[in-house]
Amino acid sequence: DSQQRSKVIEIMGFHKAFENVGKNPGLTVWRIVKMNPVLVPENLHGNFYMGDAYIVLQTTSRFEFSAHLWLGNQCSPDESGSGAFLCVQLDDSLAGKAVQNRETQGNESSKFVGYFKTGLVYKEGGVASGFEHVVTNEANVKRLLHVKGRRNVKASEVALKWSSFNNGDCFIIDTGAVIYQWNGSKSNMYERLKCSQLANNIRDRERMGRAKVEVVDEGSEPAGVIDLLGSKPVIPDALVEDAAAEKSSKQKAKLHMISDASGQLSLTEVASTNPFRMATLSTKECYILDNGANGHIFMWKGKESSTRERKVGFETCEFFINSKGYSKNTQIEILPEFGETPLFTQFFSDWKVKDQSEGLGNVYTIGTIAKIKSVPFDVTKLYTSAAMAAQHNMVDDGSGKVQIWRIEDFKKEPVDPSLYGQFYGGDCYIILYSYKLDNRDKHLIYTWQGTKATKDELGTSAVLTIELDDQMSGLPVQVRVSQGQEPPHLLSIFKDKPVIVYLGGTSRKDGQSAAAAVRLFHIRKSSTGATRAVEVNVDSSSLNSNDTFVLKTPQGNFIWKGTGASAAELKTAKYVASVLGGSVTEIQEGNEPDSFWKGLGGKKPYQSSKGLKEEVATHPIRLFGCSNKTGTFIIEEVPGDFTQGDLAVDDVMLLDTGEQIFLWLGSSANEVEKAESVKCAKQYLEADPTGRDMGTPITIMKQGKELPTFTGWFLAWDPKMWDMSPLEKYLASLRV
């Protein structure tokens, strides 16, 4: 029973696979095999067998831990129980600091989906069927993936036959050497874009670049597809799923205390309505916050509560869910005291963070003492942990040999080593990294593609990467890198030099126009801990209080530090200033000299809201898409760290920054979406469990007419982003 399991966990401690976890930022995935956690290779992250259970650990750059127990819809009760048991052991290995979550197939939280930017792939089978996580690099692979979702992308393996198709969705026909992306005639641009990203991900990560992606529109199927599937029948329309019953308001939450004082676990309701007060929680007890009507259950573990109460969290929550008659897919989140998430604290009107750390995005030393020390993020240390090396492909410490070529006139031109780490958005580069492993020569080829590179350069970079790979007898591993998505190992090969990306242009000899007299660089630290410097338009509206900027003028350089900027961003700013040359003046937001504003063309409004000035955000910044493309008006959250590219031009987007709500109207959004989104924004405020002021401003703006109070939430906002559609850009990057 629960008491016996708790005692077993106390005696056993934790599994040896968890001995060194949580030492470095990143994602680690284990598959449960015969009650043991088995590490899943990094290049197969996001692939889940429907018959299995998995544990996913996310370690942030501030050493905050989120442990997720994922259960396939064909997972047996034994596997589910083993997973819950091991998840508790994982939490024990992290000194009880992890937030534990239960995820079920098809009902994953946006936080979980956000770990896997190209989407989730559900595979048939599991451990019991003998299916293993291996790199599907063979030429005889044959499978069909049904890709659904515009933001939370999920691909399910289905029968490889025409009857599995419909004309409203996209599919991936995977034959091993060739990966066909099949677009239904009624699928939309963003569904095709997400399918393209997933197809490329399979090619680059599962096949190590040794496969070809072909885009096929319905009605134009090549002979290879017809030979595989037979003669094509009439493809039916997609089934329009009935809209789920409207969820109850988030405000309908209750709070229950868990006690084992009588020898048996019991639940006592302590608050029947929210928002709650912090004083309701006692550090000596555990509590269940019941928002099951909205599909979510929280368990809060007081630091001085009994070991038994803390150890049987999943079982207690599942018992509660069953007793209330809630869906078996209800999400569970278990939180330690002082490790609360914004989704939990939003139910309290007076929540205050104890001993709040300073410095947004800083990395901290690991320990149990209350006062933690800020230390610099060192991406080169990731490879020393086997688990993190697998996650980040940190094959070594970045000390190997580096060669870089720029694509010019359909050929490779060597880049001067003094310019390594500096990239132009209008160029494509090929980076050959050579190192030794077990006294054997190994190689990586990174293909870096700028967002403003031409179609010819994108295609040529792919062709020349293949040629280089062939010249080296197919030994290198190929990694395709889009501007702004540089993996940690690529950043590490430039040692202590952060990557600098210049605004468009090219670095080719005699091809680069003279640098502008005044230039502005936006520096931000990502959630993985790495900093990048990106050149942006010279305009004071480009500033925001959360980051650091470098302004170069003929009279000298300024380093402008926003109120909420971090020490790591300041360090990068000093490096950028040294690269640009000239004298440097550091200024703090609010103390700018007139010459600074003059260099920017005058002072204008910029993003300087309270949320950006605070070094630790007290409200989660969330982005949602509002769409009626399925025939029913729905609001869907964009998972993970959002970018400007997540703004879909055929939708209305809702950005909640805490202080205000923004409605962004895409140029192709229809009138129904525009009208309904305003209503939904008001309903969204009404449903806020904190009882947020209904007077919270709702700002409506059209695509191309964005205010700096909106664009400041995005890194290096590009006003010319939509000159070419995202799908056109992505298709141009495919191999030719």
Side-chain angles (χ1 to χ4, degrees):
D1 63 8
S2 299
Q3 191 169 9
Q4 288 176 322
R5 288 191 183 184
S6 178
K7 289 180 179 178
V8 170
I9 291 173
E10 287 185 68
I11 294 171
M12 289 182 61
F14 49 81
H15 197 284
K16 62 181 181 181
F18 302 143
E19 286 178 348
N20 294 306
V21 299
K23 297 295 191 296
N24 294 291
L27 194 70
T28 310
V29 182
W30 296 272
R31 182 191 193 192
I32 308 305
V33 180
K34 297 179 180 178
M35 289 194 67
N36 288 298
V38 177
L39 203 64
V40 175
E42 184 272 338
N43 60 322
L44 294 177
H45 284 184
N47 289 265
F48 296 92
Y49 283 108
M50 302 182 199
D52 288 339
Y54 292 77
I55 293 176
V56 175
L57 174 67
Q58 170 70 5
T59 304
T60 72
S61 59
R62 299 197 312 177
F63 291 100
E64 298 164 336
F65 310 109
S66 293
H68 301 257
L69 171 63
W70 184 91
L71 304 175
N73 59 19
Q74 298 167 16
C75 176
S76 70
D78 285 344
E79 290 170 318
S80 174
S82 297
F85 180 82
L86 289 166
C87 206
V88 173
Q89 290 195 1
L90 173 61
D91 183 46
D92 281 349
S93 75
L94 298 167
K97 295 180 179 178
V99 174
Q100 301 175 59
N101 307 262
R102 187 190 70 169
E103 312 279 355
T104 58
Q105 180 184 333
N107 298 278
E108 296 86 357
S109 64
S110 60
K111 178 180 180 181
F112 182 84
V113 177
Y115 300 151
F116 311 98
K117 277 299 185 182
T118 54
L120 305 177
V121 178
Y122 303 137
K123 295 183 175 182
E124 287 288 347
V127 173
S129 308
F131 290 89
E132 298 293 337
H133 275 289
V134 294
V135 178
T136 53
N137 206 24
E138 306 88 1
N140 60 354
V141 173
K142 298 289 184 293
R143 62 174 177 170
L144 178 64
L145 298 175
H146 182 184
V147 183
K148 299 196 70 172
R150 292 156 52 85
R151 296 176 186 89
N152 298 336
V153 181
K154 297 168 185 176
S156 301
E157 188 171 347
V158 294
L160 186 58
K161 52 187 180 182
W162 282 119
S163 59
S164 297
F165 288 74
N166 69 72
N167 62 20
D169 291 327
C170 296
F171 293 77
I172 291 176
I173 308 167
D174 187 359
T175 69
V178 181
I179 302 168
Y180 298 99
Q181 173 192 335
W182 187 91
N183 300 324
S185 57
K186 295 184 180 179
S187 62
N188 64 51
M189 177 182 72
Y190 279 89
E191 290 169 335
R192 297 182 181 199
L193 174 62
K194 292 298 182 181
C195 191
S196 292
Q197 293 172 339
L198 180 57
N200 279 9
N201 185 59
I202 293 172
R203 175 198 64 195
D204 293 340
R205 299 180 69 187
E206 287 194 32
R207 306 291 149 73
M208 300 301 182
R210 297 182 180 92
K212 182 180 180 182
V213 173
E214 290 189 16
V215 178
V216 176
D217 291 326
E218 180 183 354
S220 303
E221 292 78 9
V225 171
I226 301 300
D227 291 343
L228 180 65
L229 294 170
S231 122
K232 183 168 75 73
V234 175
I235 302 297
D237 291 341
L239 293 175
V240 178
E241 299 175 356
D242 292 334
E246 184 178 351
K247 291 183 178 179
S248 300
S249 170
K250 290 181 183 179
Q251 291 185 318
K252 295 179 182 178
K254 297 182 179 181
L255 193 64
H256 301 262
M257 184 177 71
I258 304 169
S259 175
D260 65 351
S262 64
Q264 297 290 327
L265 289 177
S266 62
L267 290 169
T268 304
E269 184 177 305
V270 293
S272 59
T273 59
N274 64 289
F276 309 120
R277 304 284 294 179
M278 260 189 95
T280 309
L281 302 176
S282 168
T283 190
K284 296 181 179 180
E285 305 292 350
C286 292
Y287 296 81
I288 284 182
L289 194 160
D290 174 14
N291 192 221
N294 200 49
H296 214 132
I297 294 293
F298 302 86
M299 178 176 170
W300 183 86
K301 303 183 298 182
K303 292 183 76 68
E304 298 177 32
S305 59
S306 76
T307 301
R308 183 188 175 205
E309 290 174 2
R310 295 197 305 270
K311 296 293 187 184
V312 293
F314 280 119
E315 293 176 62
T316 302
C317 290
E318 287 176 356
F319 171 80
F320 184 86
I321 288 169
N322 292 334
S323 68
K324 293 290 185 180
Y326 295 145
S327 166
K328 67 177 183 178
N329 295 319
T330 299
Q331 292 176 10
I332 296 173
E333 187 169 273
I334 303 174
L335 313 106
E337 185 175 356
F338 305 137
E340 299 84 1
T341 63
L343 290 181
F344 175 80
T345 60
Q346 67 177 342
F347 288 93
F348 294 79
S349 60
D350 61 343
W351 194 271
K352 295 291 186 296
V353 179
K354 185 178 184 294
D355 298 327
Q356 199 167 60
S357 319
E358 293 184 357
L360 180 64
N362 281 357
V363 180
Y364 300 94
T365 54
I366 302 170
T368 56
I369 55 175
K371 207 71 176 175
I372 51 182
K373 179 184 177 184
S374 173
V375 297
F377 177 82
D378 187 357
V379 73
T380 66
K381 297 290 174 54
L382 289 177
Y383 84 103
T384 58
S385 164
M388 292 301 105
Q391 148 61 15
H392 293 289
N393 197 21
M394 289 298 296
V395 296
D396 70 345
D397 61 357
S399 60
K401 181 181 178 182
V402 181
Q403 292 177 271
I404 303 180
W405 297 269
R406 181 187 63 255
I407 305 304
E408 182 176 337
D409 296 330
F410 301 97
K411 58 185 179 182
K412 303 197 307 288
E413 288 293 336
V415 173
D416 188 323
S418 66
L419 300 177
Y420 282 7
Q422 299 181 42
F423 298 94
Y424 286 80
D427 280 342
C428 291
Y429 299 81
I430 294 176
I431 305 161
L432 175 62
Y433 181 75
S434 303
Y435 63 103
K436 283 189 178 293
L437 181 64
D438 298 328
N439 292 320
R440 300 177 66 180
D441 291 331
K442 298 285 185 178
H443 309 278
L444 285 170
I445 301 176
Y446 291 106
T447 308
W448 190 95
Q449 299 178 326
T451 56
K452 297 183 182 298
T454 66
K455 292 183 179 181
D456 286 343
E457 289 171 326
L458 292 169
T460 301
S461 68
V463 172
L464 294 179
T465 297
I466 296 173
E467 287 185 4
L468 180 59
D469 182 68
D470 290 342
Q471 291 168 11
M472 303 181 74
S473 303
L475 295 176
V477 172
Q478 299 177 37
V479 183
R480 186 81 51 98
V481 177
S482 297
Q483 178 180 331
Q485 302 295 322
E486 296 81 10
H489 184 262
L490 176 57
L491 299 177
S492 77
I493 69 177
F494 303 113
K495 309 302 183 291
D496 58 348
K497 296 180 179 180
V499 166
I500 301 175
V501 179
Y502 297 105
L503 182 65
T506 173
S507 59
R508 66 187 61 176
K509 290 183 179 180
D510 303 322
Q512 173 64 30
S513 57
V518 182
R519 307 172 77 182
L520 183 65
F521 292 81
H522 183 179
I523 297 152
R524 176 176 290 178
K525 185 173 182 178
S526 73
S527 59
T528 63
T531 54
R532 296 174 178 82
V534 182
E535 187 175 4
V536 295
N537 291 328
V538 179
D539 196 290
S540 55
S541 63
S542 296
L543 301 175
N544 76 64
S545 297
N546 191 234
D547 298 329
T548 302
F549 290 76
V550 174
L551 174 66
K552 179 176 176 58
T553 72
Q555 291 73 37
N557 299 332
F558 293 96
I559 293 178
W560 183 88
K561 185 181 178 184
T563 308
S566 70
E569 290 166 347
L570 178 59
K571 180 181 178 182
T572 296
K574 292 179 179 178
Y575 170 75
V576 173
S578 70
V579 171
L580 295 174
S583 60
V584 180
T585 302
E586 291 186 30
I587 53 177
Q588 186 71 37
E589 180 180 8
N591 296 312
E592 302 88 353
D594 291 341
S595 55
F596 175 78
W597 296 119
K598 183 178 179 181
L600 287 172
K603 187 175 182 179
K604 299 178 183 177
Y606 62 87
Q607 181 54 283
S608 58
S609 69
K610 180 181 177 183
L612 281 179
K613 290 182 178 180
E614 293 172 348
E615 295 201 343
V616 177
T618 57
H619 184 282
I621 312 304
R622 307 171 74 181
L623 180 66
F624 302 83
C626 310
S627 172
N628 71 341
K629 298 298 184 293
T630 62
T632 304
F633 189 84
I634 59 173
I635 294 184
E636 186 178 22
E637 184 168 5
V638 174
D641 294 335
F642 58 80
T643 67
Q644 185 182 354
D646 288 312
L647 298 174
V649 299
D650 59 346
D651 279 346
V652 171
M653 308 296 295
L654 185 154
L655 178 69
D656 179 10
T657 68
E659 282 192 326
Q660 58 184 321
I661 304 292
F662 293 96
L663 285 175
W664 180 88
L665 310 182
S667 59
S668 300
N670 61 47
E671 294 306 315
V672 172
E673 291 169 338
K674 294 175 182 178
E676 291 295 324
S677 61
V678 175
K679 295 179 186 176
C680 284
K682 294 178 180 178
Q683 292 171 358
Y684 177 85
L685 279 175
E686 291 173 355
D688 192 307
T690 59
R692 195 170 358 167
D693 185 356
M694 286 303 296
T696 299
I698 299 176
T699 302
I700 302 173
M701 64 190 67
K702 296 179 180 179
Q703 178 185 335
K705 305 294 183 182
E706 296 85 3
L707 299 173
T709 49
F710 177 81
T711 61
W713 296 100
F714 299 81
L715 173 61
W717 180 270
D718 181 5
K720 297 183 179 179
M721 166 73 80
W722 297 285
D723 288 354
M724 180 190 296
S725 79
L727 182 59
E728 288 176 322
K729 292 179 183 177
Y730 213 90
L731 293 180
S733 72
L734 290 176
R735 285 186 173 150
V736 295

